[in-house]
Structure formats: C-alpha cells, structure tokens
C-alpha cells in the first residue's frame, strides 16, 4: 500500500472512502425534513454553477428555491438552510474521521522527518554520536491552549474517535450507526464553557493521545539511538494554558487554577494506576508483586480522594519502581523488563503534573496591580518601597524591584486586580507543593514592552514568600513590531541586573523568551511579523550568548500561517546557526490540536517532525542567510509593512470588518471562555481586538488577508525594477524564505474571492474590496512566477487535495453565510422585522462552525 505515491494513497484511502460513506450519510433521515440529504447535493451543484457564472450568493439561493421548491414559505426556506448547515457540519466531521483513519497510510511513519529516518541519515553520515550528544539537551515543548478555534464539543470528538477506528476496520454497520448518532448529536453549546471545562476537554488529549505517543517516541530514542541506555532528558515536555492563562480572561480565578492543576495531577495518576494494574498481570514474581501492590494502593488513594494529603511524589514512585526493576534484573532474568522500563519512562516524563500549567497575564494589568500594591503597602506603614517610588525613573525602580522580598497578605490589598494577581502567585506555590516544581514554574508576561514589566513580575513573585531561590521562570512575551525591535535592549538590561542574573544562574543560566506571531501579524502584516521575529531571535541569541545565557524561544503559534502556523517543522528546520535552537517551544490550539495531534499516529508523526527539524538544523544542515539575502528580505518586509499599515489605516478597514464580515458573531458561538476582545467597549477598537476573531473573520470571507497582504506589493517592486531574478535566486537558496512564502501560498489556496465578488459593486465598500482583490491577484501571480509553478501548492499535492475537498464541502455553507449577511444588511437598513433579523444572525453564527472545522487551521 505505502509503495503507491502519496497522492494515490490519499485518493484511495481518503477521497474514495469519503465518497462512499458520504453517500450512506446523505440517505440517513435525521429529522422531519426527510429529503434534506437529497436536496443538499442539488444546492451544492447550483452553488458551483452560480459562482462560475458570476452570480452572487443571494441569486444562487433564490435560483435553488425557484428551481427545486414549489412556492416555499419564508420559514420553510430558512428551516431548509439550517438543515443544510447541520448536514455540512457533519460531512466535515466524516471527512476528518476518514483522514484520521488513513493518517498512517497516507503519511509514511518511517519516512522523511521521522526519527527512524534521522537515525539512518546519522548512521550513513557517521554522525550517530553527534546525534546522541544533541539529544541529551534538545527538547520539544508542546503547549496546549484553549484559544477558541475548536468548534467540536467533546461528544463529537468522541464520535470522530470511534469513526476513525470503525473506518480502519471497515465496519460498515458500526459506521452507519455512528453516522446516525452524529446526525442526532448537537454541535452548538447553549452556554459558554468555563476555563475549567476547557481544561477538561484538553486533558482528554493528554490522557488518550500524548500519554501514549510521547512515551513511544522516548522509548524509540532510548532503544534505537541510545542502545537501551537510560536518557537523562525527557525530550518532549507538555505545557498547559487553560486555567492558568489570565490574559484577557476574567473568568480564570485562583480556584480554577488550583482545580485545573489538581485535575491534571489526578489524570496522570489515574493513567499510572491503570498501567500498574496491567504490570501486575506480568510481574507475578516474588519481590516485585509486593512493590506493585503497594504502589497501586497509594495511587488509588490519590486518584479517589481529590486534594488528598501530599505524602506521595514522583521521586518516591521512581524509587519504588527502580527497586522493582533491580529485583527483576537480579532474580528474574529481566523478564518483561521492557514493559516496566516503559512505565518508568512515563513517570520521568510526566511526573505528578502531566503538563506544566503556565500562568500568563498582560503587562498592563500587572503594572496597574503593582502600582496599587505599592500604594497599599505604604498606607499601612510598610517600608519595602520608598515613599517616592512611583515618581522614580524606570532605572531607579528596577534597582528597587531587584532586591525586594517579603510575604504579602492579600487581605490588606484594596484593589481586586492586585488581590487576584497575588493570589495566582500563591496558587503557583501550592501547585508546586502538590504536583512538583514542574507543575507550575513559568510566569508569562504578555504585551511585554520594557525591563520594568519583567522586574515588576519578578518582584511580585519575590513578595509572595519564596525564600532564597525563586523556582519560577519569568518569561517576557514580545508581540508587536516595535516590541520585537526593543526586545534586545530589554534583555540586555535584565542580563546586567545583578539580582536577575543571580536568579538566572539558579535556573541553570537559561532564559525563555516568548514571541507572538498572532499579534505581530495583526500589527505589522505577514512578511514583517515573520521577518521581525526572525531578526529578534537573532538579536536575542547574540546578546544572550554574550552573557553566557542559553536563550529558549517559545513561539505563540496559531493554526494558520497568519498566526505563525502552517508547516511549522519546516520553519524550525530552516533557522540556521544564528538562532539558538536547543529547544523548540510552541503553542498549539483549537482544531490544530485535533488535526495535528488528535490521534496517536498523527501526534507521533508531528512530534517526530518537530524533533527532526531541530536535528536537521543542528546536526545535518546550516541554512544561513547571506548579506545580500538579508538586504532583500529587509527591503521586502519594509515595503510589505508600509502596504499593510496603509491598508489597516484605510477609512473603510474597521467598518468593512464590522459590517461585511462575521467578526461580531464570534462572541456568540460559545466555543471559548475568553471574551473576543480585551475591552468592554461597544465600538470596535483595533488594539483591543484579539488576533483569533480578526484572522478568523478574514478566513470566513475567504479572503485570508493576514496571510498574504503586502507580499504581492513587495514582490512587484522587484519585478517593476527588473530585479525579480534576485528574488528567484533567494527563494531557491533559502529554506527560510521558501517556507515563509509556501505558507503564504496556503493562505491563498484557501481564498475564494468569487464568494464576495458582489461586494465590488457596493457603493460604500466596493473600492476597498477591489483593493484587497488586487493584492490577492498580484501576490498569487508573483508567487507562481517565483516558484515556477502553474498552481498554488503544486509541490504539496496531498495538502492541496485535502484543502480542495474541504473547501468544496463547505461551499454551500459559505454561500448560506453570505446570503444571511446580505439579508442582515438589508434588514438593518430598513429598520424592520427584528424576529427575521435574529433568525439570519443565528444563521451566520451557526455557519461559523463547519467553515472553521473544515479549514482545520483557519483561525
């Protein structure tokens, strides 16, 4: 099977099976309108023909009803459109399940980018020892976040999992039952989830996917690269944001933070308990059975009793298991030893924490909280801060913040924000006590603009009862273009601060720095954000090496290229020697979790791709930009940035998003606990707008502006100057530049301007739409010219095929969405029929689900 070309394997195992199972699905009656499954293919046909002939969505919908329905009432029309939405949502689920089931067949699990492939290349190049040395320090950290881009409720995820298995087994009867179940299972949540609900949903992936795939990878490295010897490195770390990410989420409380940490602890101990029970079936020998029985009882007590007294730890458990291991080696000829080794490795990797719960808060919130803390302490006569502290210069304040210590009582604080901030730090201490230091040892400061922001957090940590050594990494997050430029100076100030430098020495001279793609793209456009982050990483690597600090970059990546996503492993493989790469850390979220890490096979494959990208960059190749290439991309980024800024400052930019897109409907979907914007203002404030609804709204319009706008103009500058050959040479010579533009091609591939072509004649927004379309056309034409391809994503045929099928499935859904938006605009202008308006608004909101899920990495 795997000897067939990859596209042939995809067509045989995904496309063909989808056509078969979809035909079954369409004939199943789920509701009172029994002919919905018959009418949807007809509507799909009308949509395709209509857009081909230049019709707008309203004309397409009217053509369908005139042709296939006999004088339907308004209610009958809207009811059928809602049924179409429900069917299409479930078609997307079916396609997801089929792709998941075919994952190990379509993707060669031993091919390029896998650990087996890396090992074989190392042996062929006589670099196995170099590979072993590299893996002693190298780590990949996957951080699960609950950012609202996942529209599948847990019940639907369960059906996908069961469908995956049934499809692999070709169990047609079960598949039909599961499709019937799918048709009757609601997708829409009537209430917003709490941060705890989000945590529970993501812990499912930890227990059912990562627990298996991470340990499997570790075992492979141990057996096949280290020849069975233990590795003093986990290689893969897991991070967790739900329950700890307070940035812009007023619903994350101290109690929720503690409850999520306890849920993580219970989840890993529950998995250990199951494993120990399985091990007892193997190790029935004297001297081992007794140890495992003792371990089983202690695990059971901690699983059953939430917040049980802490008298058990990773260290104690490992000591027990090592004794058992030695008995097996000494007395029982190492029988079944590999099964015990696997369990020991899991305990070393996951500890009693499962995943590290990060705490995150915005620097502006910190600054407000800290100012209030200083004032409250001064009011009660506390002399920790001088009376004139607020009026001191930033440098003088930093000096004071370096040395403060204490143990603040939150009850003395007058400001609610200050209380919450201090309580979150005390919660961090409690989590470390119960789950171990790795349970929560990172504090991230989003929107970090200065050294003062870092030191205010540093001081607050030191004012919460930590004694000589602070067991917490303070992590600044640089997001905007300006902040990325200033990042080097901020870190230099911190590295030259004696107290902070002492703290880093106690943290093994490692400094983690987070860089945010999402807000960088929103702020400065696609090219500038990516190049700005690349240059910031180079500058931060250089300054860190000067101070003998090992800098670790943590990337705030979303799913799509516009938020730092796309083919991430190719990016990491192309960074070169000027950027520190001892660790790869990145956030994954929403449908990117379910699509890239939703099954054991996909999780193993994509984790290995990330590990191998680090190996490739460090051990095998060094892709370094030369001076000529730097001048070129610097100039293109500047041109692109100015083009994007001018576009963003256009008088129609915000009104277009507000009136012509789905932006305001994101908050109504109840898919995430966090508000869609940072302020409570009724007016649209760009700075308060979150990147996810911003990027997602462009995706729903099938315009994907943040993934390409400005790229075409930057390339055209060189074409007009007769210097395009220089860009072609750059593209062919640099993996970084090539990957950057290939990810932009993905954004273009998912664009369809025929959907909104009717806007070109709009009296208000017509010229603005044409401006976007022209940049799209220019970017597409020049990227094809640059790559020498006839079609976008020509060199990624399977990815292209998957996108084409998914976009085809949701074409009727997109048509319905635009039809409803147009109706809303007409009703708002007339100022009448609020009940009808509410119906169409609900139609737009409901249409978001299937579109986002079909794109898999669109927001």
């Amino acid at each position: 099977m795997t000897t067939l070309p990859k596209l042939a394997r995809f067509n045989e195992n995904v496309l063909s099976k989808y056509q078969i199972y979809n035909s079954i699905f369409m004939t199943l009656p789920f509701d009172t309108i029994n002919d919905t499954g018959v009418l949807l293919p007809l509507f799909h046909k009308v949509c395709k023909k209509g857009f081909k002939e230049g019709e707008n969505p309203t004309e397409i919908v009217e053509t369908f009803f005139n042709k296939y329905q006999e004088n339907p009432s308004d209610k009958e029309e809207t009811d059928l459109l809602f049924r179409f939405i429900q069917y299409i949502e479930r078609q997307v689920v079916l396609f997801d399940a089929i792709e998941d089931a075919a994952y190990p067949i379509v993707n060669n699990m031993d091919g390029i980018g896998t650990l087996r492939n890396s090992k074989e290349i190392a042996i062929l190049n006589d670099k196995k020892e170099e590979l072993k040395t590299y893996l002693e320090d190298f780590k990949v950290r996957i951080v699960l976040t609950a950012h609202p881009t996942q529209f599948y409720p847990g019940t639907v995820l369960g059906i996908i999992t069961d469908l995956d298995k049934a499809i692999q087994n070709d169990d047609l009867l079960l598949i039909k039952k599961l499709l019937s179940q799918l048709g009757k299972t609601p997708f829409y949540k009537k209430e917003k989830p709490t941060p705890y609900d989000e945590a529970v949903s993501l812990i499912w992936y930890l227990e059912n996917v990562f627990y298996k795939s991470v340990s499997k990878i570790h075992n492979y490295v141990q057996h096949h690269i280290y020849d069975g010897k233990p590795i003093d490195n986990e290689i893969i770390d897991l991070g967790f944001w739900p329950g700890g990410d307070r940035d812009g989420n007023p619903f994350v409380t101290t109690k929720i933070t503690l409850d999520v940490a306890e849920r993580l602890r219970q989840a890993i101990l529950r998995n250990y308990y199951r494993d120990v029970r399985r091990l007892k079936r193997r190790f029935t020998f004297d001297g081992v059975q007794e140890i495992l029985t003792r371990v089983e009882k202690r695990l059971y007590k901690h699983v059953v009793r939430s917040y049980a007294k802490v008298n058990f730890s990773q260290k104690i458990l490992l000591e027990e298991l090592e004794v058992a291991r030695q008995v097996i080696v000494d007395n029982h000829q190492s029988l079944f030893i590999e099964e015990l080794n696997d369990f020991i490795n899991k305990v070393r990797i996951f500890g009693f924490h499962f995943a590290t719960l990060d705490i995150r808060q915005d620097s502006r919130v910190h600054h407000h909280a800290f100012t209030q803390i200083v004032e409250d302490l001064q009011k009660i006569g506390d002399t920790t801060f001088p009376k004139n502290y607020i009026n001191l210069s930033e440098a003088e304040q930093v000096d004071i913040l370096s040395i403060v210590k204490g143990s603040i009582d939150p009850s003395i604080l007058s400001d609610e924000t200050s209380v919450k901030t201090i309580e979150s730090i005390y919660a961090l201490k409690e989590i470390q006590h119960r789950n171990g230091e790795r349970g929560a040892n990172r504090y991230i400061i989003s929107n970090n603009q200065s050294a003062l922001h870092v030191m205010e957090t540093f001081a607050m940590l030191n004012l919460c009862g930590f004694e000589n050594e602070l067991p917490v990494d303070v992590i600044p997050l640089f997001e905007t273009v300006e902040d990325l430029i200033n990042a080097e100076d901020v870190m230099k100030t911190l590295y030259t601060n004696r107290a902070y430098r002492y703290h880093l020495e106690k943290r093994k001279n490692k400094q983690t720095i987070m860089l945010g793609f999402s807000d960088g793209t929103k702020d400065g456009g696609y090219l500038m954000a990516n190049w700005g982050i690349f240059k910031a990483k180079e500058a931060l690597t250089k300054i860190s090496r000067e101070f003998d600090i090992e800098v670790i970059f943590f990337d705030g990546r979303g799913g799509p290229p516009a938020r730092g996503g796309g083919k991430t492993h190719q990016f990491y493989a192309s960074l070169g020697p000027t950027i520190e790469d001892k660790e790869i850390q990145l956030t994954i979220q929403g449908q990117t979790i379910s699509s890239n890490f939703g099954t054991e096979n996909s999780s193993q494959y994509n984790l290995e791709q990330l590990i191998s990208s680090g190996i490739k960059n460090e051990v095998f190749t060094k892709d370094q930009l030369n001076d000529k290439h730097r001048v070129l991309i610097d100039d293109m980024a500047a041109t692109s940035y100015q083009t994007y800024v001018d576009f963003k400052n256009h008088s129609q930019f915000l009104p277009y998003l507000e009136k012509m897109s789905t932006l305001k409907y994101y908050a109504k979907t109840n898919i995430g606990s966090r508000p869609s914007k940072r302020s409570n203002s009724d007016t649209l404030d760009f700075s308060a707008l979150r990147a996810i609804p911003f990027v997602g709204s462009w995706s729903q319009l099938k315009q994907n502006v943040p993934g390409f706008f400005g790229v075409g103009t930057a390339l055209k500058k060189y074409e007009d100057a007769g210097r395009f050959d220089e860009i072609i040479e750059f593209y062919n010579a640099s993996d970084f530049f090539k990957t950057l533009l290939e990810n932009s091609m993905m954004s273009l591939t998912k664009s369809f301007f025929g959907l909104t072509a009717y806007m070109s004649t709009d009296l208000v927004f017509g010229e603005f739409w044409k401006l976007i379309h022209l940049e799209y056309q220019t970017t597409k034409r020049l990227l094809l010219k640059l790559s020498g391809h006839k079609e976008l994503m020509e060199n990624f045929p399977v990815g292209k095929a998957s996108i084409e099928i998914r976009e085809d499935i949701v074409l009727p859904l997109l048509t319905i969405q635009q039809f409803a938006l147009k109706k809303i605009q007409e009703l708002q202008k007339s100022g009448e029929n609020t009940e009808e308006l509410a119906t169409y608004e609900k139609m737009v909101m409901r249409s978001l689900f299937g579109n986002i899920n079909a794109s898999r990495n669109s927001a």
Side-chain angles (χ1 to χ4, degrees):
M1 186 72 72
T2 55
T3 57
L4 290 171
K6 190 172 183 179
L7 183 59
R9 300 199 302 270
F10 176 85
N11 288 334
E12 183 177 313
N13 294 279
V14 179
L15 178 57
S16 296
K17 286 191 175 182
Y18 173 72
Q19 290 168 341
I20 293 167
Y21 295 139
N22 185 49
S23 65
I24 297 170
F25 174 69
M26 297 297 277
T27 60
L28 295 172
F30 302 122
D31 48 64
T32 55
I33 306 176
N34 291 323
D35 57 353
T36 308
V38 176
L39 291 171
L40 180 55
L42 297 174
F43 181 54
H44 187 275
K45 188 176 179 180
V46 171
C47 291
K48 291 190 81 168
K49 184 182 177 184
F51 285 121
K52 192 174 182 180
E53 294 178 355
E55 293 182 355
N56 66 46
T58 302
E59 291 170 335
I60 289 169
V61 171
E62 289 173 350
T63 297
F64 168 75
F65 281 113
N66 289 336
K67 191 171 182 179
Y68 294 106
Q69 297 280 281
E70 190 173 342
N71 299 319
S73 65
D74 290 344
K75 185 178 186 307
E76 287 172 334
E77 286 188 5
T78 55
D79 282 350
L80 184 58
L81 292 176
F82 274 113
R83 295 298 180 190
F84 283 166
I85 290 171
Q86 290 177 310
Y87 262 67
I88 295 165
E89 285 172 344
R90 286 150 179 81
Q91 285 179 305
V92 174
V93 172
L94 175 59
F95 190 78
D96 280 350
I98 292 169
E99 265 203 325
D100 287 345
Y103 200 94
I105 301 172
V106 175
N107 298 280
N108 187 349
M109 300 296 285
D110 294 324
I112 294 171
T114 63
L115 281 172
R116 180 172 179 175
N117 177 254
S118 296
K119 181 201 73 172
E120 289 172 352
I121 292 173
I123 292 171
L124 284 172
N125 290 279
D126 197 26
K127 288 190 172 183
K128 187 178 179 184
E129 289 304 314
E130 194 174 339
L131 175 60
K132 287 168 68 175
T133 301
Y134 179 67
L135 287 174
E136 286 173 5
D137 295 321
F138 178 73
K139 285 180 186 287
V140 166
R141 180 186 289 260
I142 296 292
V143 181
L144 306 184
T145 78
H147 291 355
T149 61
Q150 173 57 271
F151 284 73
Y152 289 146
T155 49
V156 175
L157 287 172
I159 295 171
I160 292 177
T161 302
D162 293 341
L163 261 176
D164 175 345
K165 293 175 183 175
I167 290 165
Q168 287 184 54
N169 297 327
D170 287 321
D171 188 341
L172 191 58
L173 182 61
L174 179 58
I175 290 167
K176 192 170 181 178
K177 286 183 177 180
L178 289 169
L179 290 176
S180 296
Q181 180 189 2
L182 187 65
K184 294 176 178 292
T185 302
F187 276 44
Y188 175 54
K189 298 175 182 176
K190 294 181 180 179
E191 295 181 357
K192 288 175 74 71
T194 67
Y196 185 77
D197 294 333
E198 292 171 329
V200 171
S201 296
L202 289 188
I203 289 171
W204 184 91
Y205 289 100
L206 293 178
E207 287 196 86
N208 294 281
V209 180
F210 288 101
Y211 185 72
K212 300 169 185 175
S213 61
V214 170
S215 61
K216 191 173 180 181
I217 290 170
H218 188 95
N219 291 342
Y220 180 88
V221 172
Q222 181 176 341
H223 291 302
H224 297 281
I225 296 176
Y226 284 86
D227 304 316
K229 297 175 183 175
I231 318 166
D232 190 23
N233 179 22
E234 296 82 21
I235 300 178
I236 299 171
D237 280 334
L238 298 175
F240 205 77
W241 275 16
D245 182 9
R246 293 170 171 262
D247 180 15
N249 194 338
F251 307 113
V252 177
T253 63
T254 302
K255 183 179 186 305
I256 281 179
T257 301
L258 289 168
D259 286 349
V260 168
E262 182 61 18
R263 182 69 178 240
L264 284 164
R265 190 176 80 97
Q266 287 187 356
I268 190 59
L269 296 185
R270 186 163 54 242
N271 276 24
Y272 290 165
Y273 177 73
R274 294 191 192 109
D275 276 359
V276 168
R277 287 180 65 85
R278 281 192 286 268
L279 288 172
K280 285 181 69 179
R281 292 173 64 88
R282 291 284 178 264
F283 298 107
T284 52
F285 339 128
D286 288 341
V288 182
Q289 181 78 191
E290 295 85 348
I291 294 173
L292 293 179
T293 299
R294 187 162 61 243
V295 166
E296 178 190 12
K297 288 179 179 177
R298 298 192 76 172
L299 286 169
Y300 180 79
K301 184 175 73 173
H302 281 263
V303 168
V304 171
R305 292 172 56 195
S306 178
Y307 289 102
K309 184 179 177 182
V310 179
N311 58 3
F312 197 29
S313 66
Q314 177 191 25
K315 181 175 180 290
I316 294 170
L317 178 55
L318 283 173
E319 286 172 353
E320 293 269 41
L321 296 175
E322 289 294 348
V323 171
R325 187 183 186 282
Q326 198 59 50
V327 171
I328 295 166
V329 171
D330 292 343
N331 302 334
H332 304 290
Q333 295 77 49
S334 298
L335 187 60
F336 295 124
I337 193 71
E338 66 281 353
E339 294 189 32
L340 183 61
N341 285 341
D342 170 61
F343 183 55
I344 290 172
N345 284 340
K346 286 174 179 172
V347 177
R348 284 177 174 157
I349 294 166
F350 302 116
F352 272 35
H353 65 288
F354 216 159
T356 300
L357 185 63
D358 289 348
I359 309 296
R360 184 173 79 129
Q361 184 56 282
D362 190 286
S363 65
R364 291 163 291 194
V365 175
H366 274 167
H367 183 69
H368 167 79
F370 193 78
T371 301
Q372 288 298 123
I373 288 169
V374 172
E375 291 178 358
D376 285 341
L377 288 173
Q378 290 175 340
K379 282 178 184 175
I380 63 170
D382 189 285
T383 58
T384 302
F385 295 93
K387 291 183 179 179
N388 64 340
Y389 173 82
I390 302 297
N391 298 319
L392 295 176
S393 68
E394 183 172 312
E396 290 171 321
Q397 287 181 340
V398 166
D399 286 342
I400 292 168
L401 295 173
S402 303
I403 57 173
V404 295
K405 291 273 186 182
S407 187
I408 292 177
D409 180 358
S411 66
I412 69 161
L413 302 176
S414 61
D415 177 67
E416 185 182 2
T417 303
S418 303
V419 172
K420 288 180 178 179
T421 303
I422 293 301
E423 283 183 345
S424 71
I425 296 174
Y426 280 116
L428 187 152
K429 286 183 67 178
E430 175 64 17
I431 294 166
Q432 288 196 357
H433 173 63
R434 297 189 62 78
N435 296 17
E437 186 188 309
R438 288 167 64 202
N441 62 2
R442 291 153 49 103
Y443 203 116
I444 300 162
I445 313 151
S446 55
N447 191 47
N448 195 93
Q449 298 172 343
S450 66
L452 180 64
H453 286 155
V454 177
M455 294 307 293
E456 284 177 338
T457 306
F458 181 69
M460 280 192 284
L461 286 161
N462 280 315
L463 285 168
C464 289
F466 289 106
E467 297 179 359
N468 295 328
E469 294 180 16
L470 179 62
V472 181
D473 294 324
V474 184
I475 304 174
L477 165 52
F478 301 104
E479 301 184 70
T480 67
V481 172
E482 185 179 354
D483 291 343
L484 290 169
I485 293 169
N486 295 334
E488 180 184 5
D489 289 339
V490 170
M491 297 314 299
K492 186 174 182 178
T493 301
L494 295 172
Y495 291 158
T496 53
N497 181 282
R498 289 181 62 185
Y500 192 78
R501 183 56 194 270
Y502 175 78
H503 166 67
L504 287 180
E505 287 174 7
K506 297 300 179 182
R507 304 299 291 167
K508 299 181 180 178
N509 279 317
K510 293 183 178 183
Q511 171 67 54
T512 302
I513 298 173
M514 190 173 180
L515 302 163
F517 283 82
S518 297
D519 284 285
T521 306
K522 174 175 164 270
D523 179 52
Y526 181 73
L527 269 186
M528 178 57 86
N530 281 278
W531 179 233
I533 286 171
F534 188 96
K535 287 198 298 181
K537 283 184 175 180
E538 285 193 317
L540 292 166
T541 296
K542 186 172 183 291
I543 192 71
S544 299
R545 286 173 178 172
E546 287 176 10
F547 285 89
D548 292 323
I549 302 296
E550 182 184 313
V551 65
I552 298 164
F553 294 115
F554 176 23
D555 291 323
R557 292 184 178 273
R563 294 186 51 241
K567 299 173 182 64
T568 52
H569 59 274
Q570 292 186 346
F571 255 124
Y572 289 117
S574 69
L575 293 179
T578 56
I579 292 177
E580 196 69 73
D581 63 349
K582 285 286 181 68
E583 291 192 28
I584 290 175
Q585 297 191 6
L586 70 158
T587 56
I588 56 170
Q589 56 200 249
Q591 72 273 49
T592 307
I593 299 175
S594 57
S595 61
N596 289 359
F597 303 92
T599 67
E600 191 177 337
N601 285 320
S602 62
S603 174
Q604 180 186 338
Y605 182 82
N606 285 296
L607 284 170
E608 287 192 18
Q609 292 287 320
L610 284 170
I611 294 169
S612 296
S613 68
I615 293 169
K616 182 186 176 188
N617 189 36
E618 180 64 27
V619 179
F620 300 135
T621 59
K622 294 284 185 181
D623 180 54
Q624 189 165 4
L625 296 177
N626 62 39
D627 291 341
K628 180 184 175 183
H629 294 159
R630 288 176 177 278
V631 172
L632 287 173
I633 193 170
D634 220 36
D635 182 59
M636 281 190 289
T639 302
S640 175
Y641 176 67
Q642 192 56 54
T643 304
Y644 179 78
V645 169
D646 290 344
F647 171 68
K648 197 171 64 172
N649 292 334
H650 194 289
S651 60
Q652 298 295 355
F653 181 81
L654 286 178
Y656 181 82
L657 270 178
E658 195 166 22
K659 295 178 182 177
M660 306 300 277
S661 83
T662 58
L663 181 64
K664 65 182 179 182
Y665 299 97
Y666 266 79
K668 300 178 181 180
T669 57
N670 291 334
I671 56 163
S673 68
R674 198 167 70 163
S676 61
K677 56 184 181 179
R678 287 184 168 90
S679 70
N680 295 320
S681 172
D682 292 332
T683 58
L684 183 57
D685 177 7
F686 184 76
S687 63
L689 180 61
R690 292 197 172 279
I692 288 170
F694 174 72
V695 174
S697 296
W698 289 112
S699 172
Q700 294 282 330
L701 283 168
K702 288 299 161 187
Q703 294 175 1
N704 290 322
V705 160
F708 72 83
F709 202 91
V711 175
T713 300
L715 292 173
K716 191 173 185 297
K717 176 181 176 180
Y718 283 84
E719 183 186 48
D720 291 345
R723 297 176 59 193
F724 203 72
D725 285 348
E726 295 177 40
I727 308 300
I728 293 174
E729 185 276 327
F730 182 17
Y731 177 84
N732 290 325
S734 168
D735 287 344
F736 168 73
F737 188 49
K738 181 178 286 188
T739 303
L740 185 66
L741 295 186
E742 283 176 347
N743 277 340
S744 189
M745 288 185 204
M746 185 191 294
S747 293
L748 294 172
T749 303
K750 293 183 177 183
S751 298
F752 174 48
F753 278 80
L755 178 71
T756 55
Y758 71 91
M759 294 182 188
S760 63
T761 59
D762 189 273
L763 294 176
V764 178
F765 297 109
E767 293 305 311
F768 188 73
W769 184 93
K770 290 175 184 176
L771 174 69
I772 300 169
H773 187 227
L774 178 61
E775 184 66 17
Y776 162 80
Q777 290 178 311
T778 303
T779 306
K780 180 178 178 180
R781 178 179 67 82
L782 292 175
L783 284 178
L784 289 174
K785 180 179 179 180
L786 179 61
S787 62
H789 297 161
K790 292 181 180 178
E791 295 180 330
L792 295 169
M793 293 185 70
E794 191 176 293
N795 52 337
F796 297 101
V798 171
K800 179 179 173 63
S802 179
I803 288 171
E804 286 174 349
I805 297 168
R806 289 172 175 278
E807 295 298 318
D808 187 62
I809 290 171
V810 297
L811 183 65
L813 196 58
L814 293 164
T815 308
I816 293 168
Q817 183 184 94
Q818 286 298 317
F819 165 77
L821 283 169
K822 195 82 173 103
K823 285 287 188 183
I824 290 167
Q825 292 161 18
E826 291 169 2
L827 290 167
Q828 287 176 335
K829 283 179 183 177
S830 66
E832 59 185 45
N833 205 332
T834 54
E835 186 177 334
E836 191 178 359
L837 180 66
T839 298
Y840 285 117
E841 287 187 329
K842 182 181 178 183
M843 192 176 289
V844 172
M845 184 273 292
R846 289 289 286 108
S847 70
L848 296 175
F849 292 64
N851 286 332
I852 283 288
N853 289 330
S855 294
R856 279 209 158 182
N857 66 356
S858 63

